[in-house]
Amino acid sequence: MARLKKAERREQIIENAVRVFAERGLAGARTREIAEACGINEALLYKHFRGKNELYREAMSRIYSSLVQKWTETAEAAPDGRTALTDFLNMQVSNISGNAAYCANMIHGLAAATSDPEMNELVQRWLRAQNDFVQALIERGSADGSLRPDLNAEQFSFAIRGMAWTMVSATAIGMDNFLEPEAAMTFYTGLIKYLAGDPVD
């Protein structure tokens, strides 16, 4: 078997770490398990990462950065704020729905933030960035006329993010039927109609 280049090995470790963390959580996962999942010894893993917490932060940062890039590209391609918000919410529901590993890792990140200062800083950045992103979409819609001009974008951003975290929690613990994608999108569709000043069914 050909040896992987350093960057390729690092990617392999991160990919396997995401899965192991989803199954075991940050506290329960062992670097030995992650190394075994990669087919390497633990010493080689430590050549790439100082420890489990650093690996976890890197894995979650990678996941989040990828999502932000998709959100941003989609928003930039949308003709107005209402469309950008609708497209974002469709992506959000799709990302969360049935993706238990992603959702479990988000929950583990929140739990780890209570005792790990670096993880706390990372999670606070995620939460602020997510909220700011949604708020900016609403403000864009208010400015371009596709949404009502009198909206409190910050309040509605919190409401939208709250629904997302309810979906994340339910999916992480296997309660996908508690808030199914169709029900979430029905809520979001009604909310967008309200934000636009359209009649709500």
Side-chain angles (χ1 to χ4, degrees), residues 119-132:
M119 181 58 75
N120 185 287
E121 181 183 345
L122 180 63
V123 169
Q124 287 198 34
R125 285 203 310 270
W126 289 343
L127 295 178
R128 286 194 188 101
Q130 290 168 359
N131 201 68
D132 289 350

Side-chain angles (χ1 to χ4, degrees), residues 126-136 154 157-159 161:
W126 289 343
L127 295 178
R128 286 194 188 101
Q130 290 168 359
N131 201 68
D132 289 350
F133 183 83
V134 177
Q135 184 174 330
E154 184 178 22
S157 178
F158 277 119
R161 298 303 303 146

